[in-house]
């Protein structure tokens, strides 16, 4: 069940059967000369929606599609929140969903740059409860889609060299499978992009002129992307079932 395509009575009824909800979360930021700006929010959305298609008891919230992208702001089309805004927004999403009775809130993340701030937000939220000595009536979980069991080993097998860490062939392949009419090509020079540290936006653009880090996205294909989606969606269904079955001590 996708929340944005449901009515409130449908959600009300579903809450009698499940208390778990997935929030796909990512970022809208440059992904090299051929990658879609939405790549980091589209990948978790594509995987979560594929899981929901296979098991319609799964509830998926709208995608949280803007994240921590200050280092990509020297590239047009990138939209970023500052960490404090991101933390406030995540807190309000959690408060809204938990108010209705969702007790297990699972963030499926598509952007490595979000991880530290999402985890800091979880700590802030739990601290509010810890200081007053009460138990929240919800639990939070963060999972990067590439950390779902089996996904990284599949990506390593599909792309043994030139995977890199930004504008990777695996994430671009996932978007190609879901949006085959949006596939773009370019002559990448160099073939495999450089590696290096991530700092501010101008430093990033100087180090990584076309936006990629360590990757050769020319290896991406819709077929490889579909393989990644199928494995990720199946792994997500199992991971969610485990999270849902967790019993509060
Ligand atoms: Ni990405």
């Amino acid at each position: 069940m996708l929340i944005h395509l449901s009515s409130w009575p449908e959600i009300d009824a579903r809450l009698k059967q499940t208390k778990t909800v997935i929030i796909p979360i990512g970022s809208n930021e440059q992904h090299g000369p051929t990658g879609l700006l939405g790549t980091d929010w589209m990948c978790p959305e594509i995987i979560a929606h594929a899981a929901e298609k296979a098991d319609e008891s799964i509830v998926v919230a709208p995608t949280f599609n803007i994240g921590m992208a200050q280092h990509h702001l020297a590239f047009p089309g990138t939209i970023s929140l500052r960490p404090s805004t991101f933390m406030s927004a995540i807190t309000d999403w959690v408060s809204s969903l938990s108010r209705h009775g969702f007790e297990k809130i699972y963030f499926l993340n598509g952007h490595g740059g979000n991880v530290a701030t999402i985890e800091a937000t979880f700590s802030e939220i739990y601290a509010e409860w810890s200081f007053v000595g009460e138990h929240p009536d919800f639990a939070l979980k963060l999972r990067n889609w590439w950390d779902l069991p089996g996904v990284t080993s599949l990506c390593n097998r599909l792309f043994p060299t030139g995977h890199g860490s930004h504008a990777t062939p695996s994430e671009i392949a996932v978007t190609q499978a879901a949006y085959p009419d949006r596939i773009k090509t370019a002559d990448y020079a160099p073939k495999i992009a450089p590696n290096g540290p991530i700092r501010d936006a101008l430093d990033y653009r100087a180090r990584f002129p076309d936006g990629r880090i360590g990757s050769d996205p020319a290896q991406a294909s819709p077929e490889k992307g579909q393989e990644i989606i199928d494995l990720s969606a199946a792994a997500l269904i199992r991971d969610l079932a485990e999270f849902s079955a967790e019993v509060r001590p």
Side-chain angles (χ1 to χ4, degrees):
M1 171 172 273
L2 305 178
I3 287 183
H4 72 286
L5 296 182
S6 306
S7 63
W8 74 259
E10 289 174 308
I11 300 298
D12 199 34
R14 183 56 59 92
L15 272 162
K16 295 180 174 65
Q17 289 142 27
T18 183
K19 305 287 186 197
T20 302
V21 60
I22 309 180
I23 303 175
I25 189 166
S27 177
N28 195 88
E29 60 184 47
Q30 70 80 17
H31 268 75
T34 58
L36 307 181
L37 279 139
T39 299
D40 282 359
W41 63 259
M42 291 160 78
C43 288
E45 179 178 281
I46 291 162
I47 293 163
H49 288 195
E52 189 269 348
K53 214 166 208 167
D55 176 353
E56 78 88 36
S57 72
I58 291 173
V59 180
V60 185
T63 302
F64 194 127
N65 60 11
I66 305 294
M68 300 288 87
Q70 63 78 18
H71 49 294
H72 294 295
L73 280 171
F75 296 88
T78 299
I79 302 172
S80 184
L81 298 176
R82 60 188 69 221
S84 51
T85 318
F86 190 51
M87 294 174 78
S88 297
I90 291 171
T91 303
D92 289 352
W93 282 52
V94 168
S95 300
S96 302
L97 291 165
S98 67
R99 184 191 194 285
H100 306 309
F102 287 103
E103 294 178 350
K104 302 281 173 70
I105 302 175
Y106 182 110
F107 287 83
L108 184 66
N109 179 45
H111 176 46
N114 284 349
V115 171
T117 314
I118 296 174
E119 283 177 345
T121 309
F122 286 6
S123 294
E124 285 278 357
I125 292 171
Y126 288 136
E128 288 298 320
W129 294 85
S130 296
F131 280 123
V132 295
E134 287 177 20
H135 203 317
D137 52 6
F138 55 85
L140 307 169
K141 184 179 172 84
L142 169 62
R143 177 72 93 176
N144 300 315
W145 67 262
W146 55 87
D147 288 329
L148 287 164
V151 174
T152 294
S153 44
L154 171 62
C155 294
N156 289 342
R157 184 165 63 69
L158 293 172
F159 311 109
T161 59
H163 187 271
S165 57
H166 186 67
T168 66
S170 58
E171 60 183 349
I172 286 176
V174 167
T175 63
Q176 287 182 345
Y179 297 89
D181 54 340
R182 299 288 178 175
I183 296 175
K184 301 166 204 311
T185 55
D187 289 325
Y188 297 103
K191 186 171 154 55
I192 297 180
N195 281 296
I198 296 175
R199 292 181 181 140
D200 61 274
L202 290 180
D203 182 88
Y204 186 107
R205 180 121 192 197
R207 284 177 198 280
F208 315 111
D210 75 2
R212 298 173 294 145
I213 304 180
S215 68
D216 171 18
Q219 304 175 83
S221 73
E223 296 73 26
K224 291 173 186 170
Q226 194 58 52
E227 206 179 327
I228 296 169
I229 294 167
D230 292 345
L231 186 131
S232 302
L236 174 59
I237 291 170
R238 290 191 297 273
D239 205 36
L240 264 182
E242 240 170 70
F243 183 47
S244 298
E246 273 180 25
V247 179
R248 182 184 293 180

